[in-house]
Amino acid sequence: MLERRLASEGFLRVHRSFLVNIDDVRDIEVLKPSGLIQLTLERTGACVPVSRRRAAGVKRQLGLA
């Protein structure tokens, strides 16, 4: 599976529709009052949502937990 191969390259599944290169994350925003997390990517400036189900793992990988 592509996700497993890319994991060793620093990619992380943050949502069922998004794999993100951890090194490309420029900003992490917690949206109030819902508490949802949104990542902003360096190269494209795209905003990528983090699913509730994956939030704890993403925080751990980014050193926020």
PDB file of all heavy atoms in Angstrom, residues 28-38 52 59:
ATOM      1  N   ILE A  28      -0.248  24.905  12.347  1.00  0.00           N
ATOM      2  CA  ILE A  28      -1.264  24.024  12.919  1.00  0.00           C
ATOM      3  C   ILE A  28      -2.254  24.929  13.637  1.00  0.00           C
ATOM      4  O   ILE A  28      -1.866  25.723  14.498  1.00  0.00           O
ATOM      5  CB  ILE A  28      -0.642  23.038  13.925  1.00  0.00           C
ATOM      6  CG1 ILE A  28       0.443  22.234  13.246  1.00  0.00           C
ATOM      7  CG2 ILE A  28      -1.704  22.144  14.523  1.00  0.00           C
ATOM      8  CD1 ILE A  28       1.412  21.580  14.190  1.00  0.00           C
ATOM      9  N   GLU A  29      -3.513  24.806  13.249  1.00  0.00           N
ATOM     10  CA  GLU A  29      -4.546  25.658  13.837  1.00  0.00           C
ATOM     11  C   GLU A  29      -5.648  24.797  14.438  1.00  0.00           C
ATOM     12  O   GLU A  29      -6.128  23.869  13.798  1.00  0.00           O
ATOM     13  CB  GLU A  29      -5.132  26.560  12.746  1.00  0.00           C
ATOM     14  CG  GLU A  29      -6.142  27.539  13.236  1.00  0.00           C
ATOM     15  CD  GLU A  29      -6.651  28.443  12.139  1.00  0.00           C
ATOM     16  OE1 GLU A  29      -6.237  28.292  10.980  1.00  0.00           O
ATOM     17  OE2 GLU A  29      -7.485  29.296  12.442  1.00  0.00           O
ATOM     18  N   VAL A  30      -6.017  25.110  15.668  1.00  0.00           N
ATOM     19  CA  VAL A  30      -7.152  24.443  16.315  1.00  0.00           C
ATOM     20  C   VAL A  30      -8.335  25.385  16.173  1.00  0.00           C
ATOM     21  O   VAL A  30      -8.303  26.518  16.657  1.00  0.00           O
ATOM     22  CB  VAL A  30      -6.865  24.135  17.797  1.00  0.00           C
ATOM     23  CG1 VAL A  30      -8.072  23.486  18.443  1.00  0.00           C
ATOM     24  CG2 VAL A  30      -5.638  23.251  17.922  1.00  0.00           C
ATOM     25  N   LEU A  31      -9.359  24.936  15.463  1.00  0.00           N
ATOM     26  CA  LEU A  31     -10.527  25.763  15.195  1.00  0.00           C
ATOM     27  C   LEU A  31     -11.460  25.749  16.398  1.00  0.00           C
ATOM     28  O   LEU A  31     -11.846  24.694  16.885  1.00  0.00           O
ATOM     29  CB  LEU A  31     -11.249  25.253  13.949  1.00  0.00           C
ATOM     30  CG  LEU A  31     -10.381  25.148  12.690  1.00  0.00           C
ATOM     31  CD1 LEU A  31     -11.162  24.506  11.564  1.00  0.00           C
ATOM     32  CD2 LEU A  31      -9.873  26.515  12.273  1.00  0.00           C
ATOM     33  N   LYS A  32     -11.818  26.905  16.875  1.00  0.00           N
ATOM     34  CA  LYS A  32     -12.715  27.047  18.017  1.00  0.00           C
ATOM     35  C   LYS A  32     -14.125  27.246  17.504  1.00  0.00           C
ATOM     36  O   LYS A  32     -14.304  27.863  16.471  1.00  0.00           O
ATOM     37  CB  LYS A  32     -12.309  28.247  18.879  1.00  0.00           C
ATOM     38  CG  LYS A  32     -10.906  28.174  19.412  1.00  0.00           C
ATOM     39  CD  LYS A  32     -10.781  27.125  20.479  1.00  0.00           C
ATOM     40  CE  LYS A  32      -9.356  27.126  20.995  1.00  0.00           C
ATOM     41  NZ  LYS A  32      -9.066  26.127  21.918  1.00  0.00           N
ATOM     42  N   PRO A  33     -15.164  26.826  18.115  1.00  0.00           N
ATOM     43  CA  PRO A  33     -15.247  26.055  19.342  1.00  0.00           C
ATOM     44  C   PRO A  33     -15.220  24.553  19.107  1.00  0.00           C
ATOM     45  O   PRO A  33     -15.271  23.776  20.048  1.00  0.00           O
ATOM     46  CB  PRO A  33     -16.584  26.488  19.933  1.00  0.00           C
ATOM     47  CG  PRO A  33     -17.435  26.735  18.744  1.00  0.00           C
ATOM     48  CD  PRO A  33     -16.483  27.295  17.702  1.00  0.00           C
ATOM     49  N   SER A  34     -15.147  24.126  17.842  1.00  0.00           N
ATOM     50  CA  SER A  34     -15.254  22.695  17.536  1.00  0.00           C
ATOM     51  C   SER A  34     -14.035  21.896  17.977  1.00  0.00           C
ATOM     52  O   SER A  34     -14.136  20.701  18.228  1.00  0.00           O
ATOM     53  CB  SER A  34     -15.469  22.496  16.036  1.00  0.00           C
ATOM     54  OG  SER A  34     -14.328  22.941  15.322  1.00  0.00           O
ATOM     55  N   GLY A  35     -12.871  22.529  18.043  1.00  0.00           N
ATOM     56  CA  GLY A  35     -11.656  21.832  18.429  1.00  0.00           C
ATOM     57  C   GLY A  35     -11.009  21.065  17.288  1.00  0.00           C
ATOM     58  O   GLY A  35     -10.030  20.358  17.486  1.00  0.00           O
ATOM     59  N   LEU A  36     -11.554  21.195  16.083  1.00  0.00           N
ATOM     60  CA  LEU A  36     -10.968  20.512  14.920  1.00  0.00           C
ATOM     61  C   LEU A  36      -9.608  21.114  14.596  1.00  0.00           C
ATOM     62  O   LEU A  36      -9.358  22.297  14.847  1.00  0.00           O
ATOM     63  CB  LEU A  36     -11.896  20.623  13.720  1.00  0.00           C
ATOM     64  CG  LEU A  36     -13.237  19.906  13.851  1.00  0.00           C
ATOM     65  CD1 LEU A  36     -14.087  20.164  12.613  1.00  0.00           C
ATOM     66  CD2 LEU A  36     -13.042  18.425  14.051  1.00  0.00           C
ATOM     67  N   ILE A  37      -8.743  20.303  14.015  1.00  0.00           N
ATOM     68  CA  ILE A  37      -7.388  20.734  13.670  1.00  0.00           C
ATOM     69  C   ILE A  37      -7.291  20.916  12.166  1.00  0.00           C
ATOM     70  O   ILE A  37      -7.814  20.116  11.388  1.00  0.00           O
ATOM     71  CB  ILE A  37      -6.356  19.690  14.133  1.00  0.00           C
ATOM     72  CG1 ILE A  37      -6.444  19.500  15.642  1.00  0.00           C
ATOM     73  CG2 ILE A  37      -4.945  20.102  13.723  1.00  0.00           C
ATOM     74  CD1 ILE A  37      -5.636  18.333  16.148  1.00  0.00           C
ATOM     75  N   GLN A  38      -6.579  21.959  11.768  1.00  0.00           N
ATOM     76  CA  GLN A  38      -6.338  22.228  10.351  1.00  0.00           C
ATOM     77  C   GLN A  38      -4.850  22.507  10.170  1.00  0.00           C
ATOM     78  O   GLN A  38      -4.253  23.247  10.946  1.00  0.00           O
ATOM     79  CB  GLN A  38      -7.163  23.456   9.950  1.00  0.00           C
ATOM     80  CG  GLN A  38      -7.027  23.854   8.520  1.00  0.00           C
ATOM     81  CD  GLN A  38      -8.017  24.958   8.210  1.00  0.00           C
ATOM     82  OE1 GLN A  38      -9.204  24.708   8.116  1.00  0.00           O
ATOM     83  NE2 GLN A  38      -7.535  26.165   8.073  1.00  0.00           N
ATOM     84  N   ARG A  52     -11.235  13.848  13.158  1.00  0.00           N
ATOM     85  CA  ARG A  52     -11.302  13.647  14.613  1.00  0.00           C
ATOM     86  C   ARG A  52     -10.659  12.328  15.007  1.00  0.00           C
ATOM     87  O   ARG A  52      -9.977  12.223  16.023  1.00  0.00           O
ATOM     88  CB  ARG A  52     -12.752  13.671  15.077  1.00  0.00           C
ATOM     89  CG  ARG A  52     -13.357  15.029  15.060  1.00  0.00           C
ATOM     90  CD  ARG A  52     -14.763  15.000  15.662  1.00  0.00           C
ATOM     91  NE  ARG A  52     -15.335  16.322  15.559  1.00  0.00           N
ATOM     92  CZ  ARG A  52     -16.444  16.593  14.879  1.00  0.00           C
ATOM     93  NH1 ARG A  52     -17.102  15.635  14.275  1.00  0.00           N
ATOM     94  NH2 ARG A  52     -16.893  17.819  14.824  1.00  0.00           N
ATOM     95  N   LYS A  59      -1.307  14.729  16.458  1.00  0.00           N
ATOM     96  CA  LYS A  59      -0.696  15.532  17.526  1.00  0.00           C
ATOM     97  C   LYS A  59       0.565  14.856  18.049  1.00  0.00           C
ATOM     98  O   LYS A  59       1.584  15.528  18.277  1.00  0.00           O
ATOM     99  CB  LYS A  59      -1.681  15.731  18.676  1.00  0.00           C
ATOM    100  CG  LYS A  59      -2.779  16.702  18.381  1.00  0.00           C
ATOM    101  CD  LYS A  59      -3.701  16.808  19.590  1.00  0.00           C
ATOM    102  CE  LYS A  59      -4.847  17.749  19.345  1.00  0.00           C
ATOM    103  NZ  LYS A  59      -5.757  17.818  20.500  1.00  0.00           N
TER     104      LYS A  59
END
